[in-house]
Amino acid sequence: MAGKKRYIDVLSTKLTFTEDSAENPTFTDILRFMNGKEFRYKEKIFECALLDTTIVNCIVGLIVTTQDRNIPPIRNKRTKEYSKVNINPTTQGLAYANIFLYDIQRNILLYEVNKFGCFPNQLKEFVYAKWNAENENQRFELNFPAVLKVHAYQRMLNMSHYKKVIVQLYNPRELINCFDENSDSIENNILKQNLQLSNQNNADIFKFEQIAIAKKYNPTGLTRSLVKGLIDAVKLNILDKGFRQNIQTLKVEGYSEDTEDKGYKPIDLLADTFNDYFKIPDIQLQINVQQYERKQGIEGLYSKLLPQLKQLA
């Protein structure tokens, strides 16, 4: 049977509390608290369930999404006619899933990408809704910073002359609210304003590119602080908030004086993020969310990635 790829995001977790206290929960505490919880988010209902695992110091869980609104129609491939899906939305819905694995020791979260399921930013809203309802004296901000494989960011900082920076983002409409309205950062405002203009123009892709001509005519190149600020703005506001799939290009080109990495260098910062996957059977008419297959897949992928994850510690 053919297998279909299930891509994963490799994330960290960052908890910021309103007050410092020895009683503040860890992300492990939060996951255990979330076990069995349910939450409606627009047309979706999220349910969290922790699963048994034999992997030491790890938590495996499943977010099941039930969609009971905005359900697309059936289309007859021969007659081209449409008809509604024969379900009762009061008691039924379409089911999707995101499997996840949390490495407690390394604070690394492997989270399945499923465009029909629960995105990391939606998982945050799920956590806030359930935790705040029962723990009014322990409030926190939860973020999921992306984990990078190697040190491209540091190589970018080591450049002595920047020639080009390219940022290309998909679906501007989805990214506008990622930016903090209170931020007065020039780079944040550049991206946000251009995303707003792209959205108003009904654009699917926004591309920002700046180029310095030859060093002979422009000896200083692009401004160092602006290049770094743009990359940081994309990472902090988009990548770290769970929208990696919306970033199509994130590149810097320039010259390095490093004796081991000298000369003109293109650096693809997106390539430094994990882009791995596991496979599950590709079934045309599914009867469940393939929980067992997903669990096997993410546990196997974790074992495969573990040598790389250990290097990050």
Side-chain angles (χ1 to χ4, degrees):
M1 182 179 293
K4 61 180 177 180
K5 296 177 180 178
R6 305 306 306 166
Y7 283 90
I8 57 104
D9 282 330
V10 179
L11 310 168
S12 182
T13 70
K14 182 181 179 182
L15 288 165
T16 305
F17 295 91
T18 54
E19 294 183 8
D20 291 329
S21 170
E23 297 180 357
N24 284 339
T26 64
F27 189 65
T28 300
D29 296 327
I30 293 170
L31 284 179
R32 289 172 178 157
F33 166 82
M34 292 296 294
N35 187 30
K37 297 291 193 297
E38 182 178 308
F39 172 64
R40 173 171 286 282
Y41 184 89
K42 298 181 181 179
E43 73 273 12
K44 299 177 178 180
I45 300 171
F46 300 141
E47 297 174 66
C48 179
L50 300 187
L51 310 177
D52 292 334
T53 183
T54 58
I55 303 180
V56 178
N57 290 325
C58 287
I59 296 174
V60 175
L62 189 76
I63 306 292
V64 175
T65 298
T66 304
Q67 182 179 344
D68 62 0
R69 301 176 189 174
N70 195 28
I71 296 174
I74 296 172
R75 189 180 191 223
N76 187 299
K77 292 188 287 186
R78 182 177 59 83
T79 66
K80 313 303 181 184
E81 293 180 347
Y82 296 97
S83 60
K84 68 179 182 180
V85 177
N86 187 26
I87 64 172
N88 180 356
T90 303
T91 58
Q92 298 173 304
L94 304 181
Y96 308 98
N98 301 77
I99 193 77
F100 64 83
L101 184 151
Y102 179 60
D103 183 324
I104 299 171
Q105 178 183 349
R106 297 175 180 83
N107 186 30
I108 288 178
L109 178 68
L110 274 58
Y111 192 85
E112 178 188 354
V113 176
N114 188 339
K115 65 181 180 180
F116 299 111
C118 179
F119 289 100
N121 61 309
Q122 295 172 339
L123 176 60
K124 289 189 338 184
E125 297 303 320
F126 185 4
V127 170
Y128 290 155
K130 308 316 290 187
W131 183 271
N132 291 346
E134 298 185 28
N135 302 275
E136 62 180 31
N137 295 324
Q138 287 181 317
R139 299 299 171 89
F140 54 78
E141 180 182 351
L142 171 63
N143 285 296
F144 296 110
V147 175
L148 302 182
K149 276 185 179 180
V150 289
H151 303 292
Y153 184 82
Q154 187 58 48
R155 291 198 295 124
M156 179 198 75
L157 295 181
N158 290 341
M159 283 182 169
S160 57
H161 181 100
Y162 295 102
K163 180 175 176 60
K164 183 187 295 186
V165 58
I166 308 171
V167 177
Q168 187 168 305
L169 305 173
Y170 172 71
N171 198 355
R173 182 180 301 104
E174 192 173 46
L175 301 177
I176 291 171
N177 294 327
C178 289
F179 292 82
D180 185 353
E181 293 183 0
N182 297 322
S183 173
D184 58 356
S185 161
I186 294 174
E187 297 80 18
N188 278 11
N189 290 332
I190 287 173
L191 289 177
K192 185 171 183 177
Q193 290 170 11
N194 277 277
L195 285 169
Q196 289 172 334
L197 288 172
S198 299
N199 179 44
Q200 292 170 11
N201 202 28
N202 198 32
D204 296 311
I205 296 174
F206 152 63
K207 185 175 182 180
F208 180 91
E209 182 174 356
Q210 291 189 330
I211 303 171
I213 59 176
K215 291 176 73 174
K216 177 180 178 181
Y217 304 103
N218 186 349
T220 58
L222 298 177
T223 304
R224 180 182 187 84
S225 59
L226 185 60
V227 172
K228 179 181 179 299
L230 285 168
I231 298 301
D232 288 345
V234 173
K235 183 179 185 303
L236 293 173
N237 295 290
I238 299 176
L239 185 61
D240 288 356
K241 291 184 178 179
F243 289 91
R244 183 196 184 283
Q245 71 277 2
N246 293 70
I247 307 173
Q248 296 195 321
T249 307
L250 190 61
K251 291 183 178 179
V252 175
E253 298 182 15
Y255 294 88
S256 173
E257 299 299 331
D258 191 317
T259 55
E260 296 182 0
D261 196 28
K262 196 170 184 178
Y264 187 78
K265 299 292 178 184
I267 297 178
D268 185 348
L269 287 106
L270 199 58
D272 265 12
T273 60
F274 287 81
N275 191 32
D276 295 272
Y277 61 87
F278 59 87
K279 287 186 177 182
I280 58 176
D282 190 2
I283 300 171
Q284 188 169 21
L285 295 174
Q286 300 174 19
I287 59 173
N288 54 45
V289 294
Q290 298 173 280
Q291 172 180 308
Y292 175 75
E293 292 84 354
R294 279 182 153 89
K295 178 175 176 290
Q296 275 197 319
I298 202 163
E299 288 179 337
L301 180 59
Y302 170 76
S303 297
K304 174 185 172 184
L305 295 178
L306 189 55
Q308 294 182 60
L309 300 180
K310 287 180 177 178
Q311 293 177 1
L312 300 174

